[in-house]
Structures are given as C-alpha cells and as structure tokens.
C-alpha cells in the first residue's frame, strides 16, 4: 500500500504513514466511514425498493392514458371518477377503447396473520388492458367470484401458491364472500400492501356493495395505433373540462407516482433524510479525524513549511488521507451494507438489493465527501506558522 | 573578496500593533561569509530568534534590508521566500521530527522538497547522511525509538541532506546533555566545513563558543559585540 501510494504521488506517502501510525484511531475512522456507508446503503436500498414497489402495479396494465380524480397521487388513493367521462373520452376519434378500474385493499386471513392485498376490479372482456399472463388469464374472471392471486405476496406460502391451478383452484374467504383463485401471477409485496389480487368488476362490486358501477377509481384508455398520446391528452383536457379530473398519459402517472412516493410521502422523505444523515455522519467523521490529525501534526507541518514545502503539498497530504479513509472505509461498508440489504430483502420480500449503480454512486459519493471533509480540514493548516517553531 | 551568503543592513523589527507595538530589533547589520561558522549569543529576549527567522525567510522584513544568496528579502513575495527556504537548512531547539516517519524517511523529506529527485537517489542520500551523523544502524527507526541525541542528529541530517547554502540553528543543543550537545555541534561544524556551508547558530552554551569563527552578541535588539576567532 505504502509503495503503491508512493508511486501514485511521486513522494513519500506522508498522509498514509501518518494515518496508519495511530492504529486505533485509524481503524476507528475506517469503522466510522464504513458505518456511514452502511447507513447510506440501507436507506438507498429501501428507497430504491420503494420506488420499484411503487411502480410495480403499473406494469400490470397496458394503457396509454389514465383519468383519475385530481387527488389521486397513486393507483390506490384519491376519489372516484364518474363513468360518464369514459363515454365522453371515447367520443374522441383517437381514443380506441376504455376501461373502468376499481382498486381497494382487501384483508385476507391467512391463519396466523392477516395479509392485505391490493385488489383490482377489471373488465374480463377487455384483456388487452392487462399485461403478461394476466391478459390470457382474464378469461377466468368471467366466472362468478373468481380471482387471480399474487403468488409472490408476502405471507402467502410459496407451496400453497404453487398448488393453485385451474385443475386445483383455491377457495378462500374474504369480506364474507368465498372467492376462488384459478391461477396466479407474479406481483410482490410493497409498502402499501402485501401483494395483489385481480377480480372482475362485477365481483369487485359484489365484494363492496357500497361501491358503484358508475364510479370506478380510474379510467384507463388506449389510443388508436399511431396516435400521439400527448396530443390526445391535451384534447381530452379541453373537452373533459372538469377541474376535479386528472388526465395524464399512463407513463406520466407512473412517473408522478414515483416522484410523489420519494418526495411527498413521509416514508420517502424519512428515507431520503436517512441518506442525508448517513452522508453527514460520514462527512463529520472524516472531518473530525482529518482535522484532529492536522491539529496533532501542526508542528511537523510547520517544520515542512519552514523547509520550503508549498501549500499544495499539505493539501495533497490531507487529500491523500481523505482518499485512503474513503476507499478503505467503503469496502467493509459495501460488504456489510449489501449483507444487510439481502437479509432485509429475504425477510420483507421487498426488492431490496445492492445494484452496481448504487455501489458505484455510493463509492463516488464517499470519495467526494471525504475529499470535501479534507478540504474543510485543511483550513486548520493556516495555523502552522513556521516562525513559531523557534 | 569573500562571497557573502547572507547579510542584513539596518534591520529593524516590531511585534504587535498600536499600543502594544514593541520594537524587537534596532538597526541590526551583519554579514556571514560563505563557509563561516557564526555563533549568535545574547540574553533571553534579546532578539536572537527574531534575527534567525528574518534571515531564514520565515518572517517578512519590515525595515532595513536582508540579502540572501543574492536576493533582497524586503518586499519579496511569499512564493519567492518559499523557494529560497529550500536552499536553507533549519535546526530547531526541538528536533521536530515527524513521529510517523522513520529516521530515513524524515531525512528524505529534507530532499524531496526539491522536485525531481528520484526515489532511489533520495534513499541512498538519506542513508549516506545518516551514516555521517553516526546513525547507520538506526535508519529505519521511528523517532519514538531514538534517544534525544539521536533524534537531534537525525534533524541535523535532515537539514544537511539537501546541501543547503546556509544552516540556521536555534539552540539545537538546549535539550541535550553536555557530551551529546558537543557531539552535535562538532558534527555541524565538521559537515559545514566539508561542504562549504555557512552556519549561524544561536546558543547560550559557552562550551560551543570556542568552535565559532565569529561570535555576535545581541542585547535588547542591538548587536553589542563582534568577536572574530578565526
Ligand atoms: N511572536 C511574537 N509576538 C510578540 N512579541 C514577540 C514575538 N516573538 C518575539 N517577541 C518579542 O521580541 C523580543 C525578542 O524575542 P526573541 O527574538 O524570541 O528573543 P530571543 O530568541 O533572543 O530569546 C522579545 O521581547 C519577545 O518578547
Ligand atoms: Mg529564542
């Protein structure tokens, strides 16, 4: 290491030698940087998984435009939308088809635990609005009280889920009705619920008698092939001029949901804040170590100044130390952070993992912020006055 | 005519501001010929250290003139002073070695201030100078594992390794016992003579006086006596 740095800097690696001279302090500093890294990794991991969990339900649908109530920030909040807007939208020459979408969370008693499934009521005669296996399987929903279950739902035994097939359907109670799951699809646990379920709009209305056919939660639209979605959205905003409506392309709805989760929801803000705290902890630890190291060596630095070393030499030494702390602290930080994320992902079924992107940005962040701490710490160098040495 | 390494002309210096402003040096003039060994004496607070820091480019000259190696220091910009300092060797009362660096590495720091010295050359030079100060067997020791006299010898080696034109030493023997002190001064004198180095040494120590070519005595910021011994 010493040799490597000597090569790198073309001089004695004074920073490295100085930093490693006091082993206890050195390892404490590395542990501090690693700890800050773990904090950032865990928070970032949770934020990322929150993002992918938030947008996961959008992947179930194949739509171009979504009409929602103005206060609907996600698929499962906001007021209802009158079905009449669906018919008005269909009057647009470039709107090919439309479907009302009903959404609510349904508790499902799984013995030991009650799990909660975000349940979508869809039109089984319009499978083109569904993606993947959901489209072909929508036919099952034409049966009375039929359901499609999320085989990756949290708290749903994987073996039980695998046992569900049209030959061996699973009947279960919810909302005091018996539903029958004919097959399953791949969803997964999120922050709002433990998984997903699809039923027909008819079944949905039977489950929730208070809900009205005339008022779905969202209206999904598909445009004619080749039509410009943005242009259609603009036109619909003009013709459906009700301020209570939020008319957006489906892609925008997904993007806005994501942004909402990250910036407006307490969880998003808390974890975002957690990242900030991690960064600050790292910054303060590195600053603390470097500035006390500078303070402890003022005499030596003053001696070097007297000998004719330029200010750039001292900056170089402090940056060298910052770099060593950043790089060497990152390695255990990444290992522990990754381990904790994997473990948490196993327990929560959230898509928690360390991506190479994440590792790279945390690494660059660590080096950057270490250098920043170093830069702040160098202000103390001014106190090294060689004239005071004699 | 002898070559003058450093000279001062009517050098005055003040410390502090306003009410507390106090003059420490009054019209000090001196000239050190190349290769000479000069001792600067005087009671505590007489201004010896102030003279040393002014000649050594560690303080800005306020009044009068200092010419060092052909350069006027009065009004010289800081980078210029830093560059000049590289041609000097400083020895302090405390050894001021870097605790994290071995004896050899401390000496190398005295050489590395000159750009472009290859690593291997620096190592060889450090080993050689440490040999001259009698520390061949302590090259890879950290300062913590050296005695006081050994540390001060490493400091001498560090000051001399870059072949300085002028060595400025401020009570380098104050922290040493008699024999060790005499050893360090002899070393300075011997190595200075061998290399043509000019040396200015501040001391209280009477035993050192007989090694000087010239003794300057400072009192209350004025040179009151000049004795030539050579
Ligand atoms: N940094 C300083 N600030 C204020 N006064 C100083 C400073 N350094 C020295 N002095 C004053 O200048 C005078 C000469 O000091 P100095 O050169 O250190 O003397 P010596 O080295 O002979 O003991 C003393 O009166 C001292 O108090
Ligand atoms: Mg003094």
């Amino acid at each position: 290491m010493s040799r490597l740095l000597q090569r790198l800097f073309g001089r004695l690696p004074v920073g490295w030698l100085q930093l490693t001279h006091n082993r206890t302090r050195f390892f404490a500093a590395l542990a501090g940087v690693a700890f800050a890294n773990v904090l950032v990794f865990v928070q970032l991991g949770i934020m990322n998984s929150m993002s992918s969990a938030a947008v996961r339900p959008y992947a179930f649908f194949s739509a171009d435009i979504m009409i929602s109530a103005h206060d609907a920030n996600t698929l499962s909040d906001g007021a209802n939308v009158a079905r009449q807007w669906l018919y008005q939208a269909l009057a647009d020459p470039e709107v090919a088809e439309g479907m009302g979408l009903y959404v609510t969370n349904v508790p499902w008693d799984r013995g030991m635990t009650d799990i909660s499934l975000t349940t979508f009521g869809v039109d089984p005669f319009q499978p083109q609005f569904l993606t993947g296996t959901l489209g072909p399987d929508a036919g099952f929903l034409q049966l009375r009280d039929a359901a499609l279950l999320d085989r990756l739902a949290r708290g749903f035994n994987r073996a039980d889920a695998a046992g569900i097939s049209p030959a061996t359907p699973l009947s279960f109670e919810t909302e005091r009705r018996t539903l029958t799951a004919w097959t399953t699809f791949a969803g997964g646990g999120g922050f709002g619920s433990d998984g997903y379920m699809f039923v027909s709009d008819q079944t949905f209305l039977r489950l929730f008698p208070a809900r009205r056919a005339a008022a779905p939660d969202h209206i999904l639209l598909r445009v004619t092939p080749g039509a410009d979605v943005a242009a259609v959205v603009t036109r619909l905003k003009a013709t459906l001029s009700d301020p209570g409506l939020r008319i957006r392309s489906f892609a925008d709805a997904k993007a806005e949901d994501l942004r909402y989760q990250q910036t407006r929801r307490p969880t998003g803000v808390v974890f975002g804040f957690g990242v900030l705290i991690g960064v600050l902890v790292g910054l303060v630890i590195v600053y603390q170590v470097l500035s006390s190291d500078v303070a402890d060596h003022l005499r030596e630095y003053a001696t070097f100044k007297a000998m004719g070393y330029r200010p750039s030499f001292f900056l170089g030494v402090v940056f060298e130390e910052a770099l060593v702390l950043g790089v060497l602290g990152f390695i255990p930080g990444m290992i522990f952070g990754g381990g904790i994320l994997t473990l948490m992902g196993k327990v929560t079924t959230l898509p928690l993992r360390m991506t190479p992107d994440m590792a790279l940005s945390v690494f660059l962040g660590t080096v950057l912020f270490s250098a920043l701490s170093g830069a702040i710490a160098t202000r103390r160098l001014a106190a090294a006055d060689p004239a005071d040495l004699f | 005519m002898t070559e003058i390494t450093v000279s001062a002309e009517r050098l005055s210096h003040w410390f502090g501001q306003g009410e507390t402003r106090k003059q420490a040096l009054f019209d000090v003039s001196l000239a050190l010929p190349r290769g000479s060994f000069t001792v600067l004496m005087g009671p505590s607070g007489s201004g010896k250290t102030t003279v040393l820091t002014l000649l050594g480019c560690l303080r800005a000259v306020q009044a009068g003139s200092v010419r060092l190696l052909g350069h006027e220091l009065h009004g010289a910009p800081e980078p210029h002073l830093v560059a000049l300092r590289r041609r000097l060797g400083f020895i302090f009362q405390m050894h001021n070695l870097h605790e994290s660096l071995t004896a050899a590495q401390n000496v190398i720091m005295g050489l590395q201030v000159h750009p472009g010295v290859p690593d291997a050359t620096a190592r060889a030079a450090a080993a050689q100078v440490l040999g001259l100060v009698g520390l061949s067997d302590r090259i890879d020791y950290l300062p913590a594992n050296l005695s006081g006299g050994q540390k001060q010898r490493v400091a001498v080696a560090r000051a001399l390794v870059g072949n300085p034109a002028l060595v400025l030493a401020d009570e380098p023997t104050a922290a040493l016992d008699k024999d060790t002190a005499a050893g360090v001064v002899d070393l300075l004198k011997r190595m200075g003579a061998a290399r043509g180095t000019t040396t200015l040494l501040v001391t209280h120590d009477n035993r050192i006086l007989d090694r000087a070519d010239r003794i300057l005595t400072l009192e209350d910021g004025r040179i009151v006596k000049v004795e030539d011994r050579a």
Side-chain angles (χ1 to χ4, degrees):
Chain A
M1 189 75 191
S2 191
R3 294 249 150 192
L4 179 83
L5 289 170
Q6 168 124 24
R7 279 273 159 105
L8 201 63
F9 292 104
R11 56 162 171 79
L12 274 183
V14 177
W16 163 258
L17 294 168
Q18 200 168 294
L19 210 49
T20 49
H21 184 72
N22 186 339
R23 292 282 154 127
T24 324
R25 184 197 269 183
F26 179 56
F27 285 113
L30 287 186
V33 173
F35 173 70
N37 270 308
V38 168
L39 271 182
V40 170
F41 271 124
V42 170
Q43 311 283 344
L44 270 186
I46 292 176
M47 261 170 75
N48 279 355
S49 80
M50 207 164 63
S51 305
S52 38
V55 298
R56 179 150 52 200
Y58 289 88
F60 298 144
F61 302 99
S62 166
D64 298 312
I65 297 170
M66 183 162 83
I67 303 177
S68 320
H70 70 93
D71 58 347
N73 291 305
T74 73
L75 279 179
S76 45
D77 72 7
N80 307 328
V81 194
R83 185 173 278 272
Q84 68 168 95
W85 301 117
L86 169 58
Y87 304 124
Q88 289 218 17
L90 286 171
D92 187 288
E94 288 192 312
V95 173
E97 46 206 359
M99 178 181 84
L101 175 65
Y102 301 84
V103 190
T104 196
N105 273 5
V106 170
W108 182 22
D109 184 1
R110 296 294 298 156
M112 301 293 277
T113 52
D114 240 11
I115 68 174
S116 157
L117 297 178
T118 299
T119 301
F120 293 108
V122 296
D123 181 355
F125 298 99
Q126 296 206 81
Q128 72 274 18
F129 277 96
L130 300 172
T131 58
T133 59
L134 286 166
D137 289 343
F140 289 111
L141 298 182
Q142 294 173 20
L143 299 169
R144 193 181 166 87
D145 289 338
L148 304 178
L149 271 180
D150 179 357
R151 62 175 169 270
L152 299 182
R154 186 157 51 223
F156 186 18
N157 187 294
R158 295 286 173 271
D160 290 355
I164 297 175
S165 75
T168 56
L170 173 77
S171 289
F172 59 98
E173 292 277 327
T174 184
E175 299 289 310
R176 277 170 284 149
R177 292 189 77 86
T178 304
L179 295 185
T180 305
W182 293 92
T183 182
T184 61
F185 63 95
F191 285 85
S193 69
D194 298 306
Y196 297 91
M197 173 161 78
F198 278 80
V199 296
S200 72
D201 39 15
Q202 298 306 314
T203 304
F204 189 92
L205 294 169
R206 267 196 297 279
L207 281 171
F208 304 100
R211 292 298 303 270
R212 308 282 310 282
D217 290 278
H218 304 278
I219 292 166
L220 301 184
L221 302 176
R222 286 163 61 87
V223 298
T224 53
D228 177 4
V229 174
V232 179
V233 166
T234 311
R235 261 199 323 272
L236 288 177
K237 278 182 175 163
T239 49
L240 281 59
S241 57
D242 183 325
L245 292 183
R246 196 164 176 183
I247 303 170
R248 302 171 283 179
S249 74
F250 197 63
D252 284 350
K254 174 177 163 179
E256 286 169 19
D257 188 345
L258 185 59
R259 202 155 352 129
Y260 172 76
Q261 300 284 349
Q262 288 172 341
T263 62
R264 307 279 299 282
R265 289 283 290 264
T267 40
V269 175
V270 163
F271 290 118
F273 199 65
V275 172
L276 191 71
I277 296 281
V279 169
L280 283 181
V281 165
L283 200 72
V284 167
I285 289 173
V286 175
Y287 169 74
Q288 199 54 49
V289 170
L290 293 186
S291 72
S292 59
D293 191 71
V294 169
D296 286 355
H297 292 95
L298 278 184
R299 234 192 139 68
E300 283 96 331
Y301 288 148
T303 309
F304 290 150
K305 269 192 189 173
M307 284 158 62
Y309 280 93
R310 291 195 190 87
S312 58
F313 165 80
F314 302 99
L315 295 186
V317 169
V318 177
F319 278 120
E320 174 191 340
E321 292 186 304
L323 213 66
V324 165
L325 285 180
V327 173
L328 293 190
F330 172 78
I331 296 167
M334 184 183 70
I335 294 170
F336 279 107
I340 290 176
L341 280 182
T342 309
L343 208 72
M344 282 173 60
K346 282 231 166 74
V347 176
T348 58
T349 79
L350 287 170
L352 282 169
R353 69 212 139 72
M354 176 173 312
T355 59
D357 271 14
M358 207 164 126
L360 185 70
S361 48
V362 173
F363 175 70
L364 294 179
T366 306
V367 171
L368 188 81
F369 279 100
S370 300
L372 184 67
S373 310
I376 307 173
T378 54
R379 293 188 321 167
R380 284 199 170 195
L381 280 173
D385 183 359
D388 294 338
L389 284 173
F390 286 115
Chain B
M1 199 186 101
T2 39
E3 195 182 326
I4 300 297
T5 305
V6 64
S7 64
E9 206 66 56
R10 298 177 57 87
L11 181 63
S12 293
H13 199 83
W14 290 263
F15 286 107
Q17 299 284 326
E19 291 276 297
T20 59
R21 189 168 150 100
K22 174 171 173 282
Q23 187 160 7
L25 293 182
F26 298 81
D27 292 330
V28 170
S29 296
L30 54 80
L32 307 185
R34 181 167 187 263
S36 62
F37 191 96
T38 307
V39 165
L40 183 59
M41 301 244 308
S44 182
S46 57
K48 306 183 294 294
T49 297
T50 308
V51 169
L52 221 63
T53 54
L54 285 167
L55 301 187
C57 308
L58 298 176
R59 280 186 206 288
V61 176
Q62 296 172 343
S65 149
V66 174
R67 283 193 77 77
L68 172 63
L69 302 168
H71 300 266
E72 173 58 52
L73 301 189
H74 193 164
E78 177 65 18
H80 197 145
L81 296 180
V82 173
L84 272 175
R85 268 187 243 150
R86 288 190 212 133
R87 300 171 63 188
L88 310 181
F90 289 101
I91 302 166
F92 311 93
Q93 182 169 340
M94 302 298 298
H95 56 81
N96 287 353
L97 297 181
H98 195 306
E99 53 158 9
S100 321
L101 306 183
T102 63
Q105 288 170 332
N106 267 293
V107 174
I108 287 173
M109 287 307 291
L111 203 55
Q112 226 172 37
V113 71
H114 306 282
V117 179
D119 194 25
T121 312
R123 274 167 202 286
Q128 194 224 341
V129 182
L130 282 170
L132 290 178
V133 299
L135 291 174
S136 292
D137 53 342
R138 295 286 188 275
I139 283 178
D140 293 320
Y141 280 47
L142 287 173
N145 301 324
L146 296 174
S147 71
Q150 288 172 334
K151 279 188 267 209
Q152 201 54 290
R153 271 144 67 194
V154 175
V156 168
R158 177 176 64 182
L160 297 182
V161 70
N163 256 326
L166 172 66
V167 169
L168 298 169
D170 196 355
E171 310 198 34
T173 57
L176 304 179
D177 65 64
K178 283 181 188 172
D179 293 343
T180 320
V184 167
V185 173
D186 278 339
L187 187 71
L188 263 176
K189 165 116 194 172
R190 196 158 30 84
M191 291 185 60
R195 294 163 175 234
T197 311
T198 310
T199 305
L200 179 62
L201 187 141
V202 165
T203 189
H204 278 117
D205 200 333
N206 289 319
R207 294 157 304 157
I208 290 170
L209 299 183
D210 47 309
R211 281 149 174 110
D213 301 329
R214 174 188 281 176
I215 301 169
L216 304 175
T217 307
L218 208 55
E219 253 169 48
D220 294 330
R222 292 178 177 84
I223 293 193
V224 294
K225 195 161 101 188
V226 179
E227 274 177 88
D228 278 310
R229 294 290 187 94

